[in-house]
Amino acid sequence: MTRPSIDLFSGGGDTGRLMAELDWARTPLGPVSGWPQSLRAAVRLVLSSRYPMLLLWGDDFSQLYNDAYSTLIGDKHPAALGNDVRVTLAEGWDVLAPLIEQAMATGVASWVPALQLLLERAGYREEAYFSVSHAPARDDEGRTVGVFTVCSEVTEQVVGERRLRLLRDLSVLGDGRTVDVDATAARLIDTIDSHPLDVPFAAIYLRDGTVLRRLTCTGGDQGHEGALPDTVELADPGPVAYAWGLPDAAEGRPTQVTDVADRLPLPAGPWGDLVRTALALPLPSGDEDQPLGVLLAGISPSRGLDEAYRSFNQLLAQQISVALRNAQEYEEERRRVEALAELDRVKTDFFANVSHEFRTPLTLMLGPLADALTDATAPLAPVQRERVETAWRNATRLLTLVNSLLTFSSLEAGRARSDARAVDLSALTTELAGVFRAAVERAGLTLEVACPPLPRPVTIDPVNWERIVTNLLSNALKYTFIGRIRVTLDTDDEEVRLTVADTGIGIGDQDLPKLFERFHRVRGARSRSHEGTGIGLALVHELARLEGGEVRVASRVGVGSTFTVALPWSAARRTALTGPPVNGRGDAARAAVEEAMGWLAEPDGSVTEPDRTIGPAVDELAGSRILVADDNSDMRAYLTRLLTGQGWRVRAVTDGRQALDEIHRERPDLVLTDVMMPVMDGFDLLRRLRADPATRALPVLVLSARAGGEASVEGLSLGADDYLVKPFAATELIARIRAAIRRARDRIAANPATVNAATATTRPAEVTAIAPASAVEPVGDTSVVPAAPADRNGLGDVLDVRWAYPSAPTSAAMMRRDVRRTLGDLDVDPDVLEDLLLAASEAMNNAVEHAQRPSRPEVRVRVQVGVGLVRISVRDFGTWRDRRPAMDRGRGALLMNAYGDVRLVSTLEGTTVTIERRLADPA
């Protein structure tokens, strides 16, 4: 070969060297020396390009190409050099021929993106994709004698995008959130069936214990379902299951099946070749050792099973697994919801049935009780009247609870209806609010009612409206200790609004979303009573909806709450019913006020002495001191009557904090406590008593309405001596109290030194050491601090005692009781004592009402007595604020100054009020 011929192919890489060594004389192109200049220029252009290029020249379409193109034809290189392209690419010529012939015939270039071609370059009929451009190649005279082909393989891009579409479709359509597992599997298979080029066939097996169950498979219309087992017993799979690799995949081992065509002659791919390979892949689950199931997926005969194809199948298995697990969780959740709904329905029916059954015995209780109370011909004796009134009040309360449960169950079941009447809503609301006035004012609060006449009557069920107003007012009274409750009714063009606002404890943001859920109670909230069903606000919410309105709430902790019931005029203008109204109007309000009065009934703090004319004639337990803690006034009164009848001395308090204070002042022989109480419950009281060595041996009997083994076990595990469930028999209670006191006395007799030492620690010392001190010093977490330094002017020489009280309106009564007992022992003039008590009470009320954001939720009181002089100091731990007019009784400062010398010192740490009075000058 001549030197110019060699130079023609120089710089062409490996393919150029092969072309230089080729005997071109044996090809249709002839020797290189005879090639026209146009061919030489075309060859130089092809070899110098780094992009895949093919030059077809002459009638025989002889091939000349570069290194980049040689990689595209695989095993056909280098035999293709100089040969006819129709032979080299015979399997794809039917696709290429029209493009090449068009370029030669028209002389116009063409461009085809992602052209699908059948290639046999790797030992199998391969699905390949090329972006191809064909342009005419001209000789020296300008005639079209060949074609320039510029091509780029885009197989990986086309196949990759196609597989991603399948995975995306599975994630969208196979989410499993709206259908069951079988339906989800069917949707997944339908989606896979629409992508046969990548997954010729597929079957999804789900594990059910030791069995693999086939949910579904693709290609059922092609009759190959019978080749796949319906179920596989993993304990004994059988040869067919092993042949498909199902047992291994079920144990978490991916398996490749290579003889698919022998069992399943399934044509697939773009050229209809038989599927030869399949993969059995485990479906991942939360348990790595036990897959969710198995995916059996066929491999396209037109694509090699390379790493990318394996990764795609792994992603396919993961996507199917996620969809099936979502469907399983949805099914489980749906079953739980259905079970809860059924349980709720049964419970609602039970409440309705039981409530109906309660009404007959309640009628037979309330009727005779009311007759006995109103019978003028045979009036009851005072003792019997008190007992009957207690029974009548609590039977009435029980009837109210039954009615509330019955109403709520009807609302839940969708059976409730509105007995709508045209009413003067302003007058009705004012009347209902007025029923609560006495109770509100008894609590030291102000009730403001602003319900101006509305422009037109409102159609509403008056009984339902009464329940709404009653529950809101009762709730406000229960959780408001200082300030006011305001009831307003206003309207605009769209709605009528009832607003009940208070200055109570407020509600935290975390509880507001659940406030109208039934049985939801704010944990740890301070209240006047712990009694209640927990459905009051839920009932307001449901009744407001029944009347076509809604209820809203706005609240801030420590500021107060505002409840708004809004009735659209469209609902308030309904057609009113005719006929007699339903009975029962006013019953709910009266019952709620009766219950509220029970919250406000504070014990006077005195000891109820036994009636010597009744009870055991001779009893070694006579005179025993019993402390009763219960927030229900009727229960306190009943227990007091019952226990004093046994010759015992009884003191009653309303919560665990008061009980703890009383125990520190005077140790009782036994504590009888309820569990559910405000401020401090019975179990918390029990924990504190058992944690204190001084009270660890004090007998405690827990009396509670919380029935069931868990409640009694909790009480006994905390150290209660006994646990008795309400309702109880009086004789049983008496017997248990006697047994507890006797056991305690036996322990004292067995170890008197320890008990005497413990008892001594609970007795307050009356006289303290003499040393200079400020008016009020910080004290620890005890109600009485016996040791305190004396005043430098001689105050404290006779007495120096301190107490700490919770910052609550009820503390004034406790303080009066303690001061009266302390000063009464010193023979202080009764008039002076009453003056000091009145002044100290006002100081205590001021401390409770004025203190804002206290650093300690308590008020500390100190009593110092010297020769001829007494000083009472009252200290709070909050910043000072002016009382609003609604909170000011207008006589506090006047009373304090009228009955003693008063000084007030206010700092950032709190305010101290000091009252002094000379004992010799009562005036």
Side-chain angles (χ1 to χ4, degrees):
M1 186 175 291
T2 62
R3 183 70 191 174
S5 299
I6 297 175
D7 291 342
L8 175 63
F9 304 112
S10 64
D14 292 339
T15 304
R17 285 191 294 274
L18 290 172
M19 292 172 71
E21 297 171 357
L22 185 65
D23 184 5
W24 290 99
R26 300 178 62 180
T27 70
L29 296 178
V32 176
S33 59
W35 288 6
Q37 188 62 34
S38 54
L39 177 57
R40 290 172 176 270
V43 170
R44 290 191 182 97
L45 177 64
V46 169
L47 292 177
S48 64
S49 176
R50 294 295 178 264
Y51 208 75
M53 293 186 69
L54 167 69
L55 173 63
L56 304 178
W57 193 271
D59 295 336
D60 295 318
F61 295 119
S62 298
Q63 302 171 83
L64 301 101
Y65 51 84
N66 57 12
D67 280 347
Y69 181 83
S70 68
T71 62
L72 301 184
I73 58 176
D75 296 343
K76 298 178 182 292
H77 173 72
L81 284 172
N83 284 337
D84 194 332
V85 70
R86 291 171 292 189
V87 176
T88 303
L89 299 179
E91 65 273 17
W93 183 248
D94 58 337
V95 175
L96 294 172
L99 301 174
I100 295 173
E101 292 169 358
Q102 180 184 13
M104 293 190 68
T106 64
V108 178
S110 64
W111 165 255
V112 180
L115 178 67
Q116 185 186 63
L117 286 178
L118 169 61
L119 293 182
E120 295 184 7
R121 57 182 176 177
Y124 65 93
R125 290 155 55 86
E126 181 182 354
E127 171 194 8
Y129 295 87
F130 296 87
S131 293
V132 184
S133 172
H134 294 91
R138 295 180 173 86
D139 60 9
D140 295 346
E141 284 79 26
R143 295 174 301 171
T144 300
V145 294
V147 175
F148 275 114
T149 300
V150 180
C151 60
S152 173
E153 184 169 10
V154 291
T155 303
E156 296 301 327
Q157 177 182 346
V158 171
V159 173
E161 290 177 353
R162 191 173 67 203
R163 292 170 179 173
L164 283 176
R165 281 197 301 273
L166 171 55
L167 295 175
R168 183 202 62 198
D169 292 345
L170 289 176
S171 67
V172 173
L173 299 177
D175 54 18
R177 291 178 297 177
T178 57
V179 290
D180 58 21
V181 173
D182 289 340
T184 298
R187 293 172 66 190
L188 292 171
I189 282 296
D190 286 345
T191 304
I192 294 173
D193 203 20
S194 63
H195 292 73
L197 293 181
D198 295 303
V199 188
F201 77 92
I204 298 175
Y205 288 83
L206 193 64
R207 190 185 193 111
D208 186 4
T210 61
V211 176
L212 277 182
R213 178 173 62 91
R214 192 182 72 196
L215 297 180
T216 184
C217 65
T218 59
D221 57 336
Q222 300 181 35
H224 65 262
E225 269 189 323
L228 303 175
D230 292 330
T231 59
V232 177
E233 288 285 349
L234 295 177
D236 184 17
V240 175
Y242 274 120
W244 286 107
L246 297 175
D248 289 337
E251 297 299 324
R253 297 184 296 273
T255 303
Q256 181 172 333
V257 183
T258 57
D259 54 353
V260 173
D262 296 339
R263 290 187 303 278
L264 182 62
L266 177 67
W271 328 123
D273 298 325
L274 294 179
V275 176
R276 300 181 299 275
T277 307
L279 292 177
L281 301 172
L283 297 176
S285 69
D287 185 356
E288 294 182 0
D289 297 331
Q290 185 169 324
L292 182 69
V294 175
L295 169 66
L296 185 62
I299 301 301
S300 172
S302 303
R303 296 295 305 160
L305 186 56
D306 53 13
E307 189 59 33
Y309 206 168
R310 291 182 183 274
S311 297
F312 160 71
N313 279 282
Q314 291 288 349
L315 291 174
L316 186 66
Q318 292 177 13
Q319 198 72 266
I320 292 172
S321 174
V322 169
L324 291 177
R325 279 187 288 171
N326 286 343
Q328 285 182 330
E329 291 173 2
Y330 174 80
E331 276 193 333
E332 292 173 3
E333 181 64 22
R334 186 177 61 189
R335 284 194 292 268
R336 283 195 295 268
V337 170
E338 290 173 351
L340 289 174
E342 176 63 18
L343 181 63
D344 193 58
R345 186 193 63 77
V346 172
K347 182 182 64 177
T348 300
D349 290 343
F350 171 76
F351 278 152
N353 295 335
V354 169
S355 299
H356 278 296
E357 292 300 319
F358 278 165
R359 286 178 176 238
T360 298
L362 278 172
T363 301
L364 296 176
M365 291 166 58
L366 286 168
L369 289 173
D371 293 343
L373 290 171
T374 58
D375 191 349
T377 59
L380 296 172
V383 174
Q384 298 300 330
R385 174 170 290 275
E386 184 178 359
R387 292 172 176 170
V388 173
E389 285 177 345
T390 299
W392 180 83
R393 280 195 304 271
N394 285 276
T396 302
R397 182 174 176 231
L398 181 57
L399 179 61
T400 302
L401 293 175
V402 168
N403 287 337
S404 296
L405 285 173
L406 189 59
T407 301
F408 198 82
S409 64
S410 297
L411 289 166
E412 288 276 297
R415 295 192 296 264
R417 64 184 183 87
S418 173
D419 188 25
R421 308 280 170 167
V423 299
D424 183 344
L425 198 61
S426 174
L428 177 58
T429 306
T430 302
E431 176 187 344
L432 293 172
V435 175
F436 280 82
R437 185 171 297 279
V440 172
E441 292 179 350
R442 182 173 179 177
L445 306 174
T446 300
L447 178 64
E448 300 176 3
V449 181
C451 299
L454 299 179
R456 63 181 69 89
V458 174
T459 304
I460 197 172
D461 187 332
V463 175
N464 287 345
W465 186 253
E466 177 185 346
R467 290 171 178 157
I468 291 172
V469 176
T470 296
N471 275 292
L472 292 179
L473 280 171
S474 178
N475 193 70
L477 178 57
K478 189 173 186 178
Y479 295 100
T480 303
F481 297 89
I482 299 172
R484 63 185 174 88
I485 298 173
R486 180 174 176 80
V487 181
T488 60
L489 195 67
D490 65 302
T491 182
D492 55 24
D493 293 338
E494 295 182 356
E495 61 186 16
V496 180
R497 289 180 297 275
L498 165 71
T499 303
V500 178
D502 62 59
T503 56
I505 62 172
I507 305 163
D509 292 341
Q510 70 277 7
D511 286 300
L512 287 176
K514 301 180 180 178
L515 198 60
F516 297 108
E517 294 180 5
R518 55 181 178 172
F519 310 123
H520 176 73
R521 304 186 74 162
V522 179
R523 293 186 178 275
R526 179 186 171 199
S527 64
R528 297 187 184 275
S529 173
H530 208 284
E531 295 179 337
T533 59
I535 64 171
L537 291 178
L539 195 59
V540 169
H541 178 259
E542 294 298 330
L543 289 174
R545 289 180 55 191
L546 181 64
E547 296 298 330
E550 63 174 355
V551 60
R552 303 185 290 265
V553 61
S555 185
R556 286 179 57 196
V557 174
V559 176
S561 304
T562 300
F563 289 85
T564 302
V565 178
L567 293 175
W569 277 114
S570 58
R573 294 174 180 170
R574 293 172 292 169
T575 303
L577 298 178
T578 58
V582 177
N583 294 329
R585 180 172 168 182
D587 292 347
R590 286 190 293 270
V593 171
E594 283 281 349
E595 183 177 1
M597 285 297 190
W599 305 337
L600 303 172
E602 292 289 340
D604 59 10
S606 62
V607 175
T608 304
E609 298 292 343
D611 188 349
R612 303 300 180 184
T613 63
I614 61 175
V618 178
D619 193 336
E620 80 280 8
L621 301 183
S624 296
R625 298 181 301 275
I626 311 294
L627 178 63
V628 174
D630 200 300
D631 61 335
N632 185 287
S633 59
D634 282 336
M635 182 57 69
R636 289 194 304 270
Y638 171 67
L639 291 173
T640 299
R641 288 196 305 270
L642 180 65
L643 301 181
T644 54
Q646 297 298 311
W648 299 331
R649 302 172 68 241
V650 180
R651 189 187 300 277
V653 296
T654 60
D655 58 65
R657 168 57 67 183
Q658 293 182 19
L660 199 61
D661 293 342
E662 289 294 341
I663 293 168
H664 286 148
R665 292 185 186 94
E666 182 179 11
R667 181 188 176 99
D669 293 297
L670 179 137
V671 176
L672 181 62
T673 179
D674 188 20
V675 173
M676 308 296 284
M677 296 183 293
V679 184
M680 181 190 295
D681 64 30
F683 285 161
D684 197 10
L685 169 64
L686 187 55
R687 289 188 191 94
R688 298 195 182 201
L689 291 177
R690 294 301 179 245
D692 187 351
T695 57
R696 190 167 295 159
L698 179 63
V700 178
L701 194 154
V702 176
L703 190 65
S704 175
R706 289 178 59 181
E710 291 184 1
S712 60
V713 168
E714 182 179 1
L716 295 173
S717 64
L718 290 173
D721 292 78
D722 210 340
Y723 191 101
L724 190 59
V725 177
K726 302 174 184 176
F728 54 84
T731 53
E732 182 182 4
L733 175 63
I734 296 299
R736 293 191 183 210
I737 291 176
R738 288 181 179 277
I741 296 176
R742 286 183 177 125
R743 285 195 301 269
R745 291 187 177 181
D746 290 343
R747 288 196 297 269
I748 294 173
N751 193 2
T754 303
V755 177
N756 288 339
T759 305
T761 62
T762 65
R763 302 295 184 183
E766 295 182 341
V767 182
T768 63
I770 301 174
S774 60
V776 178
E777 294 291 336
V779 298
D781 188 21
T782 57
S783 298
V784 179
V785 180
D791 187 84
R792 61 178 177 270
N793 295 325
L795 274 172
D797 290 347
V798 178
L799 179 72
D800 194 341
V801 182
R802 303 183 193 185
W803 299 275
Y805 302 96
S807 182
T810 57
S811 296
M814 291 190 291
M815 183 273 299
R816 284 195 301 272
R817 182 176 63 246
D818 294 335
V819 174
R820 183 188 300 276
R821 182 190 304 119
T822 301
L823 296 182
D825 294 340
L826 300 178
D827 295 327
V828 176
D829 183 278
D831 292 335
V832 173
L833 179 58
E834 292 302 322
D835 291 348
L836 287 170
L837 289 174
L838 188 56
S841 296
E842 290 301 323
M844 172 66 81
N845 289 330
N846 284 342
V848 171
E849 296 175 359
H850 283 232
Q852 291 191 105
R853 297 180 297 277
S855 59
R856 298 181 184 179
E858 63 184 22
V859 178
R860 297 188 177 177
V861 177
R862 182 181 186 184
V863 176
Q864 297 168 280
V865 179
V867 179
L869 184 68
V870 60
R871 174 188 294 166
I872 301 177
S873 303
V874 179
R875 180 184 179 184
D876 64 60
F877 293 88
T879 55
W880 192 260
R881 70 173 178 184
D882 292 332
R883 278 192 302 188
R884 294 187 294 272
M887 300 166 57
D888 195 352
R889 292 184 294 276
R891 60 189 181 92
L894 177 64
L895 285 173
M896 284 190 287
N897 282 287
Y899 296 115
D901 245 349
V902 179
R903 295 192 303 277
L904 183 146
V905 178
S906 184
T907 68
L908 293 176
E909 297 178 354
T911 301
T912 301
V913 176
T914 304
I915 306 165
E916 289 187 358
R917 179 70 181 270
R918 296 209 168 269
L919 299 178
D921 183 13

